[in-house]
Amino acid sequence: MKKGEKTKAIILETGRDLFWKFSFKDISVDHICETAEVNKGTFYRYFESKVDLCLQVIDHNYEMMIKDIFERSFSETSDPITRYEGIIRRIYNLQKGFYDDEGRCRGCPFVNLAMELANQEESIRKKLNKVYEGMIEYFSEIYSQAEKQGIATIRSDKNEMARKMLYVLNGSLVSSKIGKRPDLILEVIPTTRVLLGVA
Amino acid sequence: MKKGEKTKAIILETGRDLFWKFSFKDISVDHICETAEVNKGTFYRYFESKVDLCLQVIDHNYEMMIKDIFERSFSETSDPITRYEGIIRRIYNLQKGFYDDEGRCRGCPFVNLAMELANQEESIRKKLNKVYEGMIEYFSEIYSQAEKQGIATIRSDKNEMARKMLYVLNGSLVSSKIGKRPDLILEVIPTTRVLLGVA
Amino acid sequence: MKKGEKTKAIILETGRDLFWKFSFKDISVDHICETAEVNKGTFYRYFESKVDLCLQVIDHNYEMMIKDIFERSFSETSDPITRYEGIIRRIYNLQKGFYDDEGRCRGCPFVNLAMELANQEESIRKKLNKVYEGMIEYFSEIYSQAEKQGIATIRSDKNEMARKMLYVLNGSLVSSKIGKRPDLILEVIPTTRVLLGVA
Amino acid sequence: MKKGEKTKAIILETGRDLFWKFSFKDISVDHICETAEVNKGTFYRYFESKVDLCLQVIDHNYEMMIKDIFERSFSETSDPITRYEGIIRRIYNLQKGFYDDEGRCRGCPFVNLAMELANQEESIRKKLNKVYEGMIEYFSEIYSQAEKQGIATIRSDKNEMARKMLYVLNGSLVSSKIGKRPDLILEVIPTTRVLLGVA
DNA sequence: GATGAATGAGACTTCATTCAT
DNA sequence: GATGAATGAAGTCTCATTCAT
């Protein structure tokens, strides 16, 4: 890794952390630069604008989520329900970690940005929409398998079912943030069992 | 209504509209004053700060939601499922209206503010938490009745069930905003039927 | 004059002075505010942007030029040639004053801004174009009278002749600034006599 | 031409083009480097500073003007009036070309820089002053010949007459830029005929 | 000989809030 | 009771230049 790449990576990681912990509008470029210990000119050498950083942060978060949460859960087992529980448990562990460290849940980095910016920054809204399409594919896969194997007894269009699974998850993340209650995320597991018709 | 009260009401309504249409940070006090056609000095006569306005906007939104959405749906019928569908349909109509007028869904005014500010403005987070406790009481009531009447076949702690109903609703509002798809809100109805175990 | 008007007038006069003495790009809003002893927020209360100030400065300069140079010269006499000489002499006196005070000629405030900004700020170019149309009307009037009275022996379209008179004047202002030689402006008088065919 | 010389020539030509098309302050060193496709370090290897580049651009422009406009017009004929007309026509053609390509006249590269920088960058002012002294020599020569040959009937100090010829030319270049009217430059020809007293 | 990285000052502009009338 | 004026901190972003390879 060259020097420049390292600098960019530090800025990216700093933005990722601060935007998630607080919000997009609450964090200034100055703040990011101070935290990352880089010059403001350097920031704009690597990112066209604050929004551009945000866009790249979303990409970065997406890649990490897929790798550390979805793919890891998938690689552990081939049972779709266990896979799903692995995903939720990992999300819970993350928020529980934030809660223990910071006294509050950070919530979903995608939902946070979406609610803050979707109606003002079209580029961000579009990217977040694609993020959720990606997640829906994973959920869709889980449902398909569960349905094929007779574990899930409820018949549905697989994308529609995946969307519903997403509603439950995102809704619980919202509540856990508002209520400072990471435990609520665990309620997603039995809820989704009912949704899929798993005994 | 006295002149002063009227002025305050105009500011409150303007804040309600703009914070919802855009976001808290995107709307400046200047912008509110220009739109409401009041002087900046006047603003600070009626509201201690921008956050104070926001707090009162939340109260106002809550009152309107209870009156226009929940109570109206309750007064129409005594059937719990029909009541629930009335609530969702009213929420859908609202977002559909925004979509037709503005080309996008505004999303839930409480979720929006929560995701934007919960981790920075504790006073706002607390108030939003109470808002959802209020909503949960309504959902709890619906479930209790449905369960008592044998319409809902799934047994659960009523508050837990109400929370799950909220997850589905809030999750769908998030997705409808990100995807500019008000129709997704209607998916809440069948989803919740499954959750409650309604035939 | 109300307080606000006074503040605006101070900013306007400061901008007029600094833009003329230096240039548009060399003078920052900060610099103007410090010189005018007003807060930056106050600046933007009265002017939408730096370009907006510049536009109003041009208007202000134009009004002053018409009043103090053209109208005054016209009111002194009815002889067109004497009127013209009055105009040039007043312009010379102005630049001579700058030269004595500051060691250099400021040049024409309109030509300066035009050369600096015409190809980047269309709004400024357009306004400056109108300024010169205004000046051409005065020169046109002078020529018309001189021609009617038989003082000017050269026949020409009056607007074309006025434009030529403007070329000589503006050209001399350019040279006086580049050469730090206010005296060159006085050469305009005999030059224009030849142009008009005045004995 | 060695590689280094070539690199320097590219930067010089890029600066020449951009400073003329826009202005000195509007063009950043970054912009020049990107357009010239050279590294910023390389820029500062060949030029001490942005002002240094500007100084060399002026020299370069001067050499090109002398060669392509003045010398070429002189070599075509020995008649002083035809020579003069050749100069003006070439200047017109240049501006007409800019107008056709870019929708506007660039104006005189010397006048542009002078009005923008004369009062802030003494080194640039001085160099521009010398440029005009050079031009005056050519005009002086034209007048001398015309006067000697009896073509020009007006008696004058030759340098003074040359200065006046310059005023007309520069003034028309200013007007053509402000008015986006390259045709105005052609008015210089009859104007100067009157000035010289050519039948 | 050339490159990419870094710097710090400063650009224009907006903010929530307070003060004086 | 209400208005317009003023404030200073902070916002995003660009600049000419230098440094370390």
Side-chain angles (χ1 to χ4, degrees), chain D residues 16-119:
Chain D
R16 190 179 98 91
D17 188 57
L18 293 176
F19 288 158
W20 197 359
K21 183 167 184 182
F22 300 98
S23 74
F24 181 78
K25 293 267 178 163
D26 264 302
I27 299 301
S28 66
V29 173
D30 266 354
H31 193 342
I32 292 169
C33 291
E34 280 163 29
T35 308
E37 290 176 316
V38 303
N39 184 279
K40 212 128 57 119
T42 303
F43 178 96
Y44 281 95
R45 167 172 263 295
Y46 292 107
F47 300 94
E48 280 181 13
S49 66
K50 196 186 168 192
V51 166
D52 177 37
L53 169 64
C54 187
L55 254 10
Q56 295 197 40
V57 160
I58 293 170
D59 279 335
H60 191 213
N61 268 328
Y62 183 66
E63 283 161 23
M64 289 185 68
M65 180 184 70
I66 293 301
K67 188 165 62 91
D68 294 343
I69 295 181
F70 283 80
E71 286 298 339
R72 193 160 300 176
S73 298
F74 267 58
S75 70
E76 274 175 346
T77 173
S78 65
D79 175 57
I81 301 305
T82 312
R83 282 178 166 180
Y84 183 73
E85 289 182 8
I87 292 166
I88 301 304
R89 236 178 268 281
R90 283 189 164 82
I91 292 173
Y92 164 75
N93 286 339
L94 202 55
Q95 298 292 333
K96 180 66 164 56
F98 292 139
Y99 179 75
D100 291 340
D101 290 349
E102 301 160 7
R104 56 197 194 209
C105 294
R106 288 190 178 187
C108 171
F110 309 117
V111 172
N112 290 355
L113 288 172
M115 296 302 98
E116 186 184 357
L117 300 168
N119 287 353

Side-chain angles (χ1 to χ4, degrees), chain C residues 134-153:
Chain C
M135 288 177 70
I136 281 172
E137 274 188 47
Y138 278 91
F139 288 158
S140 184
E141 167 89 4
I142 285 169
Y143 169 64
S144 289
Q145 289 183 347
E147 200 265 335
K148 239 178 269 173
Q149 297 173 23
I151 304 171
T153 61

Side-chain angles (χ1 to χ4, degrees), chain A residues 21-23 25-26 104-106 111-112 114-116 118-120 122 125 128-129 132 154 160 163-164 166-168 170-172 174-175 177-181 184 187 190-191 194-195, chain B residues 21-23 25-26 104-106 111-112 114-116 118-120 122 125 128-129 132 154 160 163-164 166-168 170-172 174-175 177-181 184 187 190-191 194-195:
Chain A
K21 185 167 183 181
F22 300 97
S23 74
K25 288 279 173 81
D26 260 300
R104 58 198 190 204
C105 293
R106 287 190 180 188
V111 171
N112 291 353
M115 297 303 99
E116 187 185 357
N119 287 352
Q120 283 87 257
E122 183 66 4
R125 199 208 105 247
L128 290 168
N129 206 32
Y132 283 115
I154 291 190
E160 194 177 321
R163 276 203 301 272
K164 291 173 180 179
L166 185 65
Y167 299 160
V168 176
N170 278 344
S172 82
V174 166
S175 286
K177 179 169 172 178
I178 297 179
K180 293 191 175 184
R181 288 188 55 189
L184 296 182
E187 291 185 342
T191 310
V194 173
L195 232 50
Chain B
K21 184 167 183 181
F22 300 97
S23 75
K25 293 267 177 162
D26 265 301
R104 56 198 194 206
C105 295
R106 289 189 178 188
V111 172
N112 290 354
M115 297 304 97
E116 187 185 357
N119 287 352
Q120 285 87 258
E122 183 67 6
R125 200 208 104 248
L128 290 168
N129 204 32
Y132 283 115
I154 291 189
E160 194 177 321
R163 276 202 301 273
K164 292 174 180 178
L166 185 65
Y167 299 161
V168 176
N170 278 344
S172 83
V174 166
S175 286
K177 179 171 172 176
I178 298 180
K180 292 191 177 184
R181 288 188 56 188
L184 296 181
E187 292 186 342
T191 311
V194 174
L195 229 54

Side-chain angles (χ1 to χ4, degrees), chain A residues 138-149:
Chain A
Y138 279 90
F139 288 158
S140 182
E141 167 89 4
I142 285 169
Y143 169 66
S144 288
Q145 289 183 346
E147 200 266 336
K148 237 178 268 173
Q149 296 172 24

